[in-house]
Amino acid sequence: MMFQMRWRTILPQQCVLLVTCLLINLEAVPIDIDKTKVQGEPHVEGAKIETPDTGLYYDEYLKQVIDVLETDKHFREKLQTADIEEIKSGKLSKELDLVSHHVRTRLDELKRQEVARLRMLIKAKMDSFQDTGVDYQALLKQFEHLNHQNPETFESKDLDMLIKAATSDLENYDKTRHDEFKKYEMLKEHERREYLKTLNEEKRREEESKYEEMKKKHGDHPKVNHPGSKDQLKEVWEESDGLDPNDFNPKTFFKLHDVNNDGFLDEQELEALFTKELEKVYDPKNEEDDMVEMEEERLRMREHVMNEIDVNKDRLVTLHEFLKSTEKKEFLEPDSWETLDQQQVFTEEELKEFETHILQQEDELQKKAENLQQQKEELQRQHDQLQAQKQELQQVMEQRKLQQGSSLSGPAGELKFQPPGEHQVGNAQNHLAGDQPLPPGHIPVQETAAGSDHVQIHP
């Protein structure tokens, strides 16, 4: 059970994938307080810990592969003795060749499912552009977490690629979040300035005054303790854990906040420690407080603590690392913590560059809109032309029907009917009446004086 819990702890870590927790075999730390007596939810032994989402687009596939691999005894044993470099270098992936048959079969099935899922994503994307003749095999190259050349079976190369892809993606995850936040802030400022341009002078002054007032109100908050300092941890100890601040004990604190009892404080467990500090600055009920900024503040706090405590940079805090940090001068006498409202998130130059990029995007969208409008007008013209041709054809067909109907009816509307042969007789008489020579062998028909039909054959 301990192995499984440590294995699952790896997923939410933003760097070392799959195995970091397995490399250190720590005994449970004795504490002098019972967790079940602390305020909050009681601990249930053996309860399943819900694994946080890594944010990767192949998160479910990653979790399923881990679930299957941890069922193999041989692979578990190799993991327990492996180090980080063996894992990153791909050496551990070679051990996949020795796992049991049913594990390999299940991994093969998982890979086929993942390949099918990716193909469906590609098809959906291509269908949105009305593309045809998609080369799925070529497009699968863009996914680096599996071997696309062999879509049927899960090999050691697949495990190696999955580890390296997730490691790389998670290492860049925080940077991506910071970049997105900066864009968010610049867009917010850009829209504010654009709105001011639409106002008259009086309204503009009112809006500017309101903006400054809200900034001042947001900045008027209690002191924010330095993340990871003794003051900050004692505040959690007292207000969240409901314990006497005079009895603060770092070892006990660590055990209390190791929620899944795996012997580590992971990034999610650390971020939970900063909630009290963030509530001093941000309130969702206040118009001046932005919850997006609150999450960026939480990320900055966690990164700071990791930089100070996480000695081996595995994105996990061990008890040893935690206790060593409490011996530092910064733990007892920290510098003041500057919140986001006290910092400049972007420069004017960055904002101008961002606005230029926005204008370029708007220009491109405008051109696309004009092109689509032209295509729409051309299609409408072709549609109108086809409709006109259709109406013209219908009119011609109706005229022909009227003409045919007129030739088959008499003056009173009665139906004209000619017995068989009568049409030919009439034609023959017309030929005689016009003294036109008949073709050789033609048999003329003449009517007798008595009015009865009589056929005379002239030699």
Side-chain angles (χ1 to χ4, degrees), residues 69 75 93-99 104 107 154-156:
L69 285 175
F75 202 83
S93 301
K94 303 300 181 183
E95 299 297 329
L96 186 68
D97 296 332
L98 303 177
V99 301
R104 290 297 294 271
L107 290 173
F154 190 99
E155 306 296 339
S156 59

Side-chain angles (χ1 to χ4, degrees), residues 329-374:
K329 179 181 177 181
E330 292 78 11
F331 180 74
L332 299 174
E333 301 176 8
D335 297 329
S336 60
W337 176 256
E338 291 186 354
T339 54
L340 281 172
D341 56 282
Q342 298 173 301
Q343 296 184 345
Q344 185 177 15
V345 179
F346 55 85
T347 64
E348 281 296 320
E349 289 74 16
E350 289 175 323
L351 180 59
K352 288 180 181 179
E353 183 178 351
F354 178 74
E355 290 178 327
T356 301
H357 180 65
I358 289 179
L359 291 175
Q360 290 175 348
Q361 288 183 322
E362 291 177 348
D363 185 56
E364 291 175 1
L365 289 174
Q366 181 63 30
K367 289 180 180 179
K368 289 181 180 180
E370 292 174 357
N371 186 36
L372 289 174
Q373 182 62 29
Q374 292 176 358

